C-alpha cells in the first residue's frame, strides 16, 4: 500500500504570495488532517477533512484554508504569506474521522522570504 | 482547549538502559492517548496508543501507562538501542470524549541513546 504523499517537498515563497500544498492519503482513508510543525511550537493542528467536509479547525487565521476532493485527496492553501508561516506542513490520513492512528506524509517544507 | 505538557524535553540514556517520558493533560474526559516517534528528517510515526479504559499497554520493548486520576500518561522504552534515538511526541484529543476530534501534541522529547 502506498503511503501518504505530499507535494511539493520544498517551497520557497516571498511575503504576500500564496501557496497551495497537496496531499494524497493512503488508499481507502477518508480523513485527512493538516499540521504545522515548527521548532518552537511543535505540531499544531490546522484542520481535518472527512468525506469532503471540514470536521475540525485549529486556531489559525483565515489565511489558512483547505479542501478535500471526492477521491479524498486534499489541498491546503495559505494566502498573503508571512515570514512566520515558514514551517514544515504535514498531512496525515486515517480510516475514520478524528485523530486516531494517523499516518503522516513526509511534509512540505515552506520557506517564506 | 486541551493542554498537554511533556517532560523532559531532552533525555540521554546509555544503550541498554530504560527511558521514560511523561505527559500530563488537562481535561479528565480525554480518552485516547497516542505516542509518535519522529526520526531526524522523517515523518512522525505512531508507535503505540492507549484508551482510557486500559491502564497499561505493551508492545515488545515499548509500553504506555495511564493514570487517569493524576491525568498523566507515560512512555516506557526498555533495553534502549541507538535506533530508538528520535523525538517522541505524546498527544491527547480535543474536544475530549467527542466522536471526532483533533489531537493536541506535546512539545516533544528528544531521546539520545548513547552506544
Amino acid at each position: 500500500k502506498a503511503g501518504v504523499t505530499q507535494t511539493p517537498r520544498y517551497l520557497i515563497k516571498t511575503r504576500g504570495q500564496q501557496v497551495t500544498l497537496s496531499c494524497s492519503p493512503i488508499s481507502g482513508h477518508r480523513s485527512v488532517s493538516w499540521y504545522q510543525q515548527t521548532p518552537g511550537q511543535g505540531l499544531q493542528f490546522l484542520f481535518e477533512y472527512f468525506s469532503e467536509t471540514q470536521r475540525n479547525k485549529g486556531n489559525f487565521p483565515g489565511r489558512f484554508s483547505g479542501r478535500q476532493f471526492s477521491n479524498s485527496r486534499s489541498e491546503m492553501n495559505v494566502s498573503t504569506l508571512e515570514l512566520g508561516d515558514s514551517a514544515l506542513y504535514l498531512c496525515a490520513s486515517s480510516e475514520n474521522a478524528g485523530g486516531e492512528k494517523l499516518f503522516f506524509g513526509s511534509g512540505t517544507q515552506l520557506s517564506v522570504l | 482547549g486541551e493542554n498537554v505538557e511533556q517532560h523532559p524535553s531532552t533525555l540521554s540514556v546509555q544503550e541498554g538502559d530504560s527511558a521514560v517520558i511523561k505527559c500530563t493533560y488537562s481535561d479528565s474526559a480525554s480518552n485516547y492517548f497516542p505516542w509518535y516517534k519522529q526520526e531526524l528528517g522523517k515523518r512522525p510515526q505512531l508507535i503505540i496508543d492507549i484508551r482510557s479504559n486500559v491502564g497499561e499497554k505493551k508492545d515488545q520493548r515499548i509500553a504506555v501507562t495511564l493514570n487517569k486520576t493524576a491525568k498523566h500518561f507515560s512512555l516506557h522504552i526498555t533495553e534502549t538501542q541507538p535506533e530508538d534515538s528520535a523525538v517522541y511526541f505524546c498527544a491527547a484529543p480535543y474536544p475530549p470524549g467527542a466522536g471526532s476530534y483533533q489531537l493536541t501534541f506535546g512539545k516533544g522529547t528528544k531521546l539520545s541513546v548513547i552506544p
Side-chain angles (χ1 to χ4, degrees), chain A residues 48-79:
Chain A
E48 182 206 6
Y49 288 88
F50 182 81
S51 294
E52 301 180 66
T53 301
Q54 187 179 89
R55 296 292 296 263
N56 288 293
K57 184 170 168 56
N59 189 25
F60 279 83
R63 300 184 296 106
F64 292 81
S65 63
R67 59 178 175 169
Q68 187 180 36
F69 302 96
S70 59
N71 61 358
S72 293
R73 190 177 71 86
S74 177
E75 287 182 348
M76 184 190 118
N77 186 276
V78 187
S79 62

Side-chain angles (χ1 to χ4, degrees), chain B residues 11-101:
Chain B
L11 179 61
S12 292
V13 299
Q14 290 291 137
E15 182 177 355
D17 287 350
S18 296
V20 181
I21 303 169
K22 181 177 175 179
C23 286
T24 60
Y25 58 97
S26 57
D27 200 307
S28 57
S30 292
N31 59 1
Y32 174 72
F33 307 95
W35 285 90
Y36 285 83
K37 173 184 180 183
Q38 187 175 29
E39 296 177 51
L40 186 63
K42 296 192 175 180
R43 68 191 76 189
Q45 289 189 301
L46 177 68
I47 54 171
I48 195 166
D49 55 7
I50 191 170
R51 292 189 174 279
S52 58
N53 59 347
V54 175
E56 183 177 6
K57 184 177 178 180
K58 288 183 180 179
D59 183 3
Q60 298 182 343
R61 298 186 295 107
I62 291 172
V64 55
T65 58
L66 172 64
N67 184 324
K68 288 193 294 183
T69 303
K71 292 189 285 186
H72 67 71
F73 57 109
S74 299
L75 178 69
H76 304 255
I77 306 174
T78 59
E79 301 173 18
T80 54
Q81 300 168 4
E83 52 264 38
D84 295 328
S85 296
V87 178
Y88 292 81
F89 295 95
C90 64
Y94 179 78
S100 178
Y101 50 80

Side-chain angles (χ1 to χ4, degrees), chain A residues 16-92:
Chain A
Q17 287 186 309
Q18 76 166 27
V19 66
T20 299
L21 314 181
S22 179
C23 174
S24 294
I26 291 172
S27 177
H29 285 192
R30 292 191 293 165
S31 170
V32 174
S33 302
W34 289 89
Y35 287 83
Q36 182 193 67
Q37 186 173 28
T38 58
Q41 296 298 319
L43 282 155
Q44 292 189 291
F45 175 80
L46 282 155
F47 28 68
E48 182 206 6
Y49 288 88
F50 182 81
S51 294
E52 301 180 66
T53 301
Q54 187 179 89
R55 296 292 296 263
N56 288 293
K57 184 170 168 56
N59 189 25
F60 279 83
R63 300 184 296 106
F64 292 81
S65 63
R67 59 178 175 169
Q68 187 180 36
F69 302 96
S70 59
N71 61 358
S72 293
R73 190 177 71 86
S74 177
E75 287 182 348
M76 184 190 118
N77 186 276
V78 187
S79 62
T80 319
L81 284 166
E82 300 178 0
L83 295 178
D85 296 334
S86 295
L88 179 67
Y89 290 89
L90 292 161
C91 87

